Amino acid sequence: KQEVTQIPAALSVPEGENLVLNCSFTDSAIYNLQWFRQDPGKGLTSLLLIQSSQREQTSGRLNASLDKSSGRSTLYIAASQPGDSATYLCAGSNDYKLSFGAGTTVTVRA
Amino acid sequence: SQTIHQWPATLVQPVGSPLSLECTVEGTSNPNLYWYRQAAGRGLQLLFYSVGIGQISSEVPQNLSASRPQDRQFILSSKKLLLSDSGFYLCAWAGTISYEQYFGPGTRLTVT
């Protein structure tokens, strides 16, 4: 079973700073890795999906990388804004089931 | 485009009462369907998943059950709720090519 870890659990940055969120996983035979955003009391919003054959995906200010050999994925958010404040979750799968990390709660200070 | 619905949005139920939460998906066919629970201060726990009508796999033995009576309908049930069943219940669907998962808005269940 895929085990996923996210460190740190919480992060606070001033507006405009670039955010770097880390995710590690135990099984390099990962099928895909997905990054989500969760606002308080809400469901999860899919941000980026990286398939095992890919090394990165980009969407607007977001860029996610995948390094299967080291068991790591990184989510970069450029020029952070207060609206980026949320919990960010990564999840990896070896089949059609996702294993989630505990998340990193981000606060962007205006 | 695809959409996923869950209801009710919030629910307060006494211990020992039954439960039925419903999830429906629109705009896709033959999706994989999932039920997760997110307890306060804890991560997402996969409860059940289904790859087809009538096919249910349970990830965690517990007080809950799931059914998939139609292709795009997924139901989470309990005959008798426990206090420990409180939490945020999320339904998700995924296509069978990329397996990217999309989540519904969730149901907040409080068992009193």
Side-chain angles (χ1 to χ4, degrees):
Chain A
K1 179 183 176 183
Q2 191 70 260
E3 301 288 338
V4 180
T5 304
Q6 291 184 254
I7 296 173
L11 188 59
S12 179
V13 300
E15 182 177 4
E17 189 167 303
N18 295 332
L19 281 164
V20 180
L21 305 179
N22 297 306
C23 172
S24 61
F25 49 91
T26 54
D27 190 344
S28 61
I30 192 167
Y31 184 76
N32 61 33
L33 189 133
Q34 200 167 349
W35 281 93
F36 296 88
R37 169 185 172 138
Q38 185 176 30
D39 294 294
K42 304 295 185 182
L44 277 65
T45 299
S46 180
L47 298 174
L48 291 168
L49 172 76
I50 312 175
Q51 296 185 324
S52 61
S53 59
Q54 301 171 321
R55 293 191 62 86
E56 67 176 346
Q57 280 285 353
T58 298
S59 176
R61 293 185 295 113
L62 277 60
N63 174 274
S65 64
L66 176 65
D67 184 341
K68 291 191 296 180
S69 62
S70 66
R72 294 180 182 176
S73 176
T74 303
L75 177 66
Y76 299 90
I77 303 177
S80 61
Q81 305 167 358
D84 295 328
S85 298
T87 296
Y88 292 83
L89 297 152
C90 76
S93 72
N94 292 72
D95 47 29
Y96 40 77
K97 296 181 291 181
L98 285 174
S99 295
F100 280 83
T104 296
T105 299
V106 172
T107 302
V108 181
R109 308 185 304 271
Chain B
S1 64
Q2 302 86 7
T3 56
I4 179 169
H5 304 280
Q6 284 186 248
W7 62 91
T10 60
L11 193 59
V12 180
Q13 294 283 92
V15 168
S17 63
L19 174 73
S20 181
L21 302 182
E22 188 165 344
C23 171
T24 59
V25 181
E26 297 177 355
T28 187
S29 58
N30 303 315
N32 288 346
L33 296 173
Y34 306 84
W35 277 113
Y36 292 88
R37 177 170 59 203
Q38 190 174 37
R42 298 177 65 181
L44 267 78
Q45 179 184 37
L46 178 62
L47 302 175
F48 301 95
Y49 66 94
S50 171
V51 299
I53 296 174
Q55 295 181 307
I56 307 294
S57 296
S58 174
E59 287 292 293
V60 182
Q62 58 206 323
N63 187 39
L64 302 170
S65 62
S67 62
R68 184 172 178 173
Q70 300 181 40
D71 181 45
R72 289 169 290 176
Q73 184 185 29
F74 206 21
I75 297 172
L76 184 69
S77 304
S78 174
K79 292 183 179 179
K80 290 186 178 181
L81 284 168
L82 306 172
L83 285 174
S84 58
D85 292 324
S86 294
F88 192 44
Y89 288 82
L90 291 157
C91 180
W93 74 272
T96 54
I97 297 177
S98 72
Y99 297 112
E100 182 170 2
Q101 290 195 19
Y102 301 93
F103 282 74
T107 294
R108 175 76 57 190
L109 172 66
T110 303
V111 182
T112 60

